[in-house]
Amino acid sequence: MDFTLTQEQEQLRALARTWVEREVIPHATEWDRAEQVDPGIVKRLADVGFLGLGIAEEYGGSGGDMLSYCLVMEELGRGDSSVRGIVSVSLGLVAKSIQRWGTEEQKRRWLPGLCAGELLACFGLTEPETGSDAGSLRMKAVRDGDDWVLSGTKMFITNGTWADIALIFARTGGPGPKGITAFVVPTSSDGFNRREIKGKLGLRGQATAELVLDGVRVSDEQRLGPEGAGFKVAMTALDRGRISVAAGCVGLARGCLEASLEYARQRQQFGKPIASFQLIQEMLADMAVEVDAARLLVWRAADLAQRGEPFGTQASMAKLFATEASIRVANTALQVFGGYGYIDEFPVAKALRDSRVMTLYEGTSQIQKLLIGRALTGINAF
Ligand code: CAA
């Protein structure tokens, strides 16, 4: 693996950094307090090309490799994890699944709108009683002539109330992973109900929802991938999704380190900047090592994925380490800031609240450990 970025990657990273400094960072506290990011951010993300990363230009995408995608996710994560999540889900989990599994007609129908920010997508896998054990989900899709009729509930769905389309995983066959099929469902369909989930610890700006499908009718043309392949559709999306979450966590942690460095240099106690105290320097050093270690794991996983090598275990390692590290780093940053870290005038309180969900969604830390353990031992603990 080469650690030198290409000129295009450097330019994209610089563009993302400037864009986030202008479009996201000045508003992040206000969006967090209002519990909603400005919906106009979707169009602005599309205009700068960030909703089309990795999607072929013929479908309206902006192309680019997996590492380029991660560089942008790091910058978005540094600005606001709520904004990063909008992209990770609509583009990373849904648009890329349509590109990977869709028919030519499905790709032409959905991808240009998703890349242009005219459509937003959500990923409907988790259910009230099905989190880690995704293969046992209960949402039903029953065949009726040329159509399917979907009924059931999805829970904790990112972009849920904003999305125009939902990638819904439903049971079309027997129990277990092989009985699941994926469908692209417009959220405007009759019987498609959604309720926003409020009161979250973090990611307050992001629209998280419960989706209740009550006899939603879709044609067989809206099936994504073969019947019974839905679990594979979900897992292949999550393999890359986990790298994207990890990259976002690198950005979140880096933001905490940068803010801590700036604060520690100017904050005076005992007649000198607190950055001159060894116990503060230890905290800063620990944070810097965590950020770099997490980034290297992300880049390794992205590089393997890009080259078409197996990368699932490395994605789990990156997700496990970067998400846990982001909590440690945000918590340490709060210690550097002291009382000022506990109020939302400085960014670290929000970062700590936002970081906490990272070890839960797109596969908990425990699931990542069991996936790594299974790869190491060849023994399935699930
Ligand atoms: N790629 C391709 N195929 C895969 C795969 C992968 N990564 N992982 C599994 N499969 C296939 C297997 O090969 C197997 O098929 P075969 O029998 O044909 O070989 C089939 O799928 C079943 O696999 P498992 O036996 O491994 O399935 P399992 O029931 O033991 O579950 C699990 C494995 C890893 C625990 C899985 O259920 C899992 O990842 N759980 C976590 C769920 C999760 O991450 N949820 C996130 C929700 S989405 C979200 O958070 C988005 C958001 O809004 C932010």
Side-chain angles (χ1 to χ4, degrees), residues 89 93 123 125-126 131-132 134 156 158 177-178 231-232 235-236 238-239 242 361-363 367 371 374 382:
V89 171
L93 294 182
F123 187 78
L125 180 66
T126 301
S132 292
F156 302 131
T158 302
K178 289 193 180 359
F231 193 73
K232 277 198 193 327
M235 290 300 123
T236 50
L238 286 168
D239 279 343
R242 287 165 183 161
Y361 68 13
E362 299 215 23
I367 289 294
L371 286 168
R374 179 163 81 178
F382 294 116

Coordinates of all heavy atoms in Angstrom, one line a residue, residues 89 93 123 125-126 131-132 134 156 158 177-178 231-232 235-236 238-239 242 361-363 367 371 374 382, ligand 1:
V89 N -25.2 7.1 4.2 CA -26.4 6.2 4.0 C -27.0 6.4 2.6 O -27.1 5.4 1.9 CB -27.5 6.5 5.1 CG1 -28.8 5.8 4.8 CG2 -27.0 6.1 6.5
L93 N -24.6 3.5 1.3 CA -25.4 2.2 1.5 C -26.4 2.0 0.4 O -26.6 0.8 0.0 CB -26.1 2.2 2.9 CG -25.2 2.2 4.1 CD1 -26.0 2.1 5.4 CD2 -24.2 1.0 4.1
F123 N -31.8 3.4 4.4 CA -31.5 2.0 4.4 C -32.3 1.2 5.4 O -32.0 1.4 6.6 CB -30.0 1.9 4.6 CG -29.3 0.5 4.5 CD1 -29.0 0.0 3.2 CD2 -29.0 -0.2 5.6 CE1 -28.4 -1.2 3.1 CE2 -28.3 -1.4 5.5 CZ -28.0 -1.9 4.2
L125 N -32.9 -1.7 7.2 CA -32.6 -3.1 7.6 C -33.0 -3.4 9.1 O -33.8 -4.3 9.3 CB -31.1 -3.3 7.5 CG -30.5 -4.7 7.9 CD1 -31.0 -5.8 6.9 CD2 -29.0 -4.7 7.9
T126 N -32.6 -2.5 10.0 CA -32.9 -2.7 11.4 C -34.4 -2.6 11.7 O -35.1 -1.8 11.1 CB -32.1 -1.6 12.2 OG1 -30.7 -1.7 11.9 CG2 -32.4 -1.8 13.7
G131 N -31.7 -6.2 15.6 CA -30.6 -5.3 15.4 C -29.4 -6.1 14.9 O -29.2 -6.2 13.7
S132 N -28.6 -6.6 15.8 CA -27.4 -7.4 15.4 C -27.7 -8.6 14.6 O -27.0 -9.0 13.6 CB -26.6 -7.8 16.6 OG -26.1 -6.7 17.3
A134 N -29.4 -9.4 12.0 CA -30.2 -8.9 10.9 C -30.8 -10.0 10.1 O -31.9 -9.8 9.5 CB -29.2 -8.1 10.0
F156 N -34.9 3.0 13.9 CA -33.6 3.8 13.9 C -33.0 4.0 12.5 O -31.9 3.8 12.2 CB -32.5 3.1 14.8 CG -33.0 2.8 16.2 CD1 -32.8 1.5 16.7 CD2 -33.5 3.8 16.9 CE1 -33.2 1.3 18.1 CE2 -33.9 3.6 18.3 CZ -33.8 2.3 18.8
T158 N -31.7 6.1 9.6 CA -31.1 7.4 9.3 C -31.7 7.9 8.0 O -31.9 7.1 7.1 CB -29.5 7.2 9.1 OG1 -29.0 6.6 10.3 CG2 -28.8 8.5 8.8
P177 N -31.1 -15.8 6.8 CA -30.6 -14.8 5.8 C -31.1 -15.2 4.4 O -31.3 -14.2 3.6 CB -29.1 -15.0 5.9 CG -28.9 -15.5 7.3 CD -30.1 -16.4 7.6
K178 N -31.3 -16.4 4.1 CA -31.6 -16.8 2.7 C -33.1 -16.4 2.3 O -33.4 -16.5 1.1 CB -31.3 -18.2 2.4 CG -29.8 -18.5 2.4 CD -29.5 -19.9 1.9 CE -28.0 -20.2 1.8 NZ -27.1 -19.2 2.3
F231 N -30.0 -10.4 1.9 CA -29.0 -10.4 3.0 C -27.6 -10.1 2.4 O -26.9 -9.3 3.0 CB -29.0 -11.7 3.8 CG -28.3 -11.7 5.1 CD1 -28.8 -11.0 6.2 CD2 -27.0 -12.3 5.2 CE1 -28.1 -10.9 7.4 CE2 -26.3 -12.2 6.4 CZ -26.9 -11.6 7.5
K232 N -27.3 -10.7 1.3 CA -26.0 -10.4 0.6 C -26.0 -8.9 0.2 O -24.9 -8.3 0.3 CB -25.8 -11.3 -0.6 CG -25.2 -12.7 -0.2 CD -24.6 -13.3 -1.4 CE -24.3 -14.8 -1.3 NZ -23.9 -15.4 -0.1
M235 N -25.2 -7.0 3.4 CA -23.9 -7.3 3.9 C -22.8 -6.6 3.0 O -21.8 -6.1 3.5 CB -23.6 -8.8 4.1 CG -24.4 -9.4 5.2 SD -24.1 -8.7 6.8 CE -25.7 -8.2 7.3
T236 N -23.0 -6.7 1.7 CA -22.0 -6.1 0.8 C -22.0 -4.6 1.0 O -21.0 -3.9 0.9 CB -22.1 -6.5 -0.7 OG1 -23.5 -6.3 -1.0 CG2 -21.8 -7.9 -0.9
L238 N -22.8 -3.0 3.8 CA -22.3 -2.7 5.1 C -20.8 -2.9 5.2 O -20.1 -2.2 5.9 CB -23.0 -3.6 6.2 CG -24.4 -3.1 6.5 CD1 -25.1 -4.2 7.4 CD2 -24.4 -1.8 7.3
D239 N -20.2 -3.8 4.4 CA -18.8 -4.0 4.4 C -18.1 -2.7 4.0 O -17.1 -2.3 4.7 CB -18.4 -5.0 3.3 CG -18.5 -6.5 3.8 OD1 -18.6 -6.7 5.0 OD2 -18.5 -7.4 2.9
R242 N -19.0 0.3 6.7 CA -18.2 0.3 7.9 C -16.9 1.1 7.7 O -16.5 1.7 8.7 CB -18.0 -1.1 8.4 CG -19.2 -1.8 8.9 CD -19.2 -3.3 9.1 NE -20.6 -3.7 9.6 CZ -21.0 -4.9 9.5 NH1 -20.3 -5.9 9.0 NH2 -22.2 -5.2 9.9
Y361 N -24.2 1.6 15.5 CA -24.8 1.4 14.2 C -23.8 0.8 13.1 O -22.6 0.8 13.4 CB -25.5 2.6 13.6 CG -24.8 3.9 13.3 CD1 -23.5 4.0 13.1 CD2 -25.6 5.1 13.1 CE1 -22.8 5.2 12.7 CE2 -25.0 6.3 12.7 CZ -23.6 6.3 12.5 OH -23.0 7.5 12.1
E362 N -24.3 0.3 12.1 CA -23.6 -0.4 11.0 C -22.8 -1.6 11.6 O -21.7 -1.9 11.2 CB -22.7 0.5 10.2 CG -23.6 1.6 9.5 CD -23.1 2.0 8.1 OE1 -22.4 1.2 7.5 OE2 -23.5 3.1 7.7
G363 N -23.3 -2.2 12.7 CA -22.7 -3.3 13.3 C -22.0 -2.9 14.6 O -21.0 -2.1 14.5
I367 N -20.2 -7.1 17.4 CA -20.3 -7.8 16.1 C -19.0 -7.7 15.3 O -18.6 -8.7 14.7 CB -21.5 -7.2 15.2 CG1 -22.8 -7.6 15.9 CG2 -21.4 -7.6 13.8 CD1 -23.2 -9.0 15.8
L371 N -16.8 -10.9 14.0 CA -16.4 -11.1 12.6 C -14.9 -11.3 12.5 O -14.4 -12.2 11.8 CB -16.9 -9.9 11.8 CG -18.4 -9.8 11.5 CD1 -18.8 -8.5 10.9 CD2 -18.8 -11.0 10.5
R374 N -14.1 -14.7 13.9 CA -14.4 -15.8 13.0 C -13.4 -15.9 11.9 O -13.0 -17.0 11.5 CB -15.8 -15.5 12.4 CG -16.3 -16.5 11.4 CD -17.8 -16.4 11.1 NE -18.1 -15.3 10.2 CZ -19.4 -15.0 9.8 NH1 -20.4 -15.7 10.3 NH2 -19.6 -14.1 9.0
F382 N -21.6 -16.9 16.0 CA -23.0 -16.3 16.0 C -24.0 -17.4 16.2 O -23.9 -18.5 15.6 CB -23.3 -15.6 14.6 CG -22.4 -14.4 14.4 CD1 -21.5 -14.4 13.4 CD2 -22.5 -13.3 15.3 CE1 -20.7 -13.3 13.2 CE2 -21.7 -12.2 15.1 CZ -20.8 -12.2 14.0
Ligands
CAA1 N1 -20.7 -10.3 1.9 C1 -21.4 -11.2 1.1 N2 -22.1 -12.2 1.7 C2 -22.1 -12.3 3.0 C3 -21.4 -11.4 3.8 C4 -20.7 -10.4 3.2 N3 -20.0 -9.5 3.9 N4 -21.7 -11.7 5.1 C5 -22.5 -12.8 5.1 N5 -22.7 -13.1 3.8 C6 -23.5 -14.3 3.3 C7 -22.8 -15.5 3.8 O1 -21.9 -16.0 2.9 C8 -24.0 -16.5 3.9 O2 -24.3 -17.0 2.6 P1 -24.0 -18.5 2.2 O3 -24.7 -19.4 3.2 O4 -24.5 -18.6 0.8 O5 -22.5 -18.6 2.3 C9 -25.2 -15.6 4.4 O6 -24.8 -14.3 4.0 C10 -25.4 -15.7 5.8 O7 -24.2 -15.3 6.5 P2 -23.9 -15.5 8.0 O8 -24.0 -17.0 8.3 O9 -22.6 -14.9 8.3 O10 -25.1 -14.7 8.7 P3 -25.4 -14.5 10.2 O11 -26.9 -14.6 10.4 O12 -24.5 -15.3 11.0 O13 -25.1 -12.9 10.4 C11 -23.8 -11.0 11.0 C12 -23.9 -12.4 10.3 C13 -22.4 -10.6 10.8 C14 -24.1 -11.1 12.5 C15 -24.8 -10.0 10.4 O14 -26.1 -10.3 10.8 C16 -24.5 -8.6 10.8 O15 -23.6 -8.0 10.1 N6 -25.2 -8.1 11.8 C17 -25.1 -6.7 12.1 C18 -26.2 -5.9 11.5 C19 -25.8 -4.5 11.1 O16 -24.6 -4.2 10.9 N7 -26.8 -3.6 11.1 C20 -26.6 -2.3 10.7 C21 -27.9 -1.7 10.4 S1 -27.8 -0.5 9.1 C22 -27.3 0.9 9.8 O17 -26.9 1.0 10.9 C23 -27.4 2.1 8.8 C24 -27.7 3.4 9.4 O18 -28.9 3.8 9.4 C25 -26.6 4.2 9.9

